[in-house]
Amino acid sequence: YQWPAMGAGFCVSMFCDIRLTSDDSKLGANFVKLGISPGMGGSFTIPSKLSNQVANDIILTGRTFTGKEAKEMGIVLKSLPTKSEVLPESLRLAQQIVDTTSSIAVAETIHLLRSSQLEKIASQLELEAEAQARCFAAKDYQMALAAIRAKKLPVFD
């Protein structure tokens, strides 16, 4: 990650096969702080890729954490000292895969790793959409939007 990966951006990043960041990057799934439940597949990818305890911490607190903390929690493969190192290291890693492995074997392996999850993710995305619709209709979401517009932290009942 070279820029903050918050909310939907963080959830989309969890679909990546390999994730790199910098020590001072900001990450988080802050949905609950906005009065809504996770979307963008976050309720599927976060618990499926992390321990239950770490996933619950991230999703239920909505807290922001650094790239260095993300590495410690197993969210990213590497956290590099500076943002300027992320892209070159990503390209180096990709080149290593290209240069030292069979492209058909890599493609088939990725297919195998993902195929068992396809049906599960589809049904989870439907559940997320239903949950978010209920949250959007609730007063907590409206309170959160008003607080954000006023540049304040939302206070939920």
Side-chain angles (χ1 to χ4, degrees):
Y1 309 103
Q2 242 181 323
W3 308 108
M6 299 297 297
F10 176 75
C11 292
V12 169
S13 77
M14 293 300 290
F15 283 99
C16 295
D17 296 316
I18 299 171
R19 291 173 297 282
L20 306 177
T21 191
S22 65
D23 290 348
D24 62 346
S25 290
K26 302 293 182 209
L27 303 90
N30 59 344
F31 297 97
V32 294
K33 289 187 172 183
L34 302 174
I36 58 174
S37 56
M40 303 301 289
S43 68
F44 178 83
T45 57
I46 296 169
S48 70
K49 296 192 176 197
L50 305 172
S51 75
N52 198 33
Q53 185 165 276
V54 170
N56 288 340
D57 172 40
I58 290 168
I59 294 171
L60 296 176
T61 65
R63 71 183 179 88
T64 300
F65 47 91
T66 65
K68 191 172 185 177
E69 290 172 294
K71 168 65 173 130
E72 293 166 2
M73 292 187 279
I75 297 168
V76 298
L77 176 67
K78 290 183 181 180
S79 183
L80 300 153
T82 65
K83 289 179 182 172
S84 64
E85 295 175 74
V86 175
L87 182 58
E89 179 61 13
S90 300
L91 294 173
R92 187 201 63 74
L93 183 57
Q95 194 64 53
Q96 178 185 352
I97 293 168
V98 169
D99 290 345
T100 63
T101 64
S102 159
S103 60
I104 185 72
V106 168
E108 290 299 327
T109 300
I110 289 172
H111 173 74
L112 289 170
L113 293 171
R114 292 185 184 153
S115 65
S116 66
Q117 298 177 347
L118 291 178
E119 191 172 308
K120 295 175 190 172
I121 186 68
S123 64
Q124 192 66 22
L125 287 170
E126 286 181 35
L127 292 172
E128 280 186 357
E130 293 167 7
Q132 283 196 331
R134 288 188 295 274
C135 289
F136 289 144
K139 67 178 182 174
D140 283 0
Y141 179 65
Q142 298 307 317
M143 290 171 31
L145 287 180
I148 291 166
R149 285 186 195 113
K151 299 190 186 297
K152 296 181 180 180
L153 292 175
V155 177
F156 300 108
D157 296 333

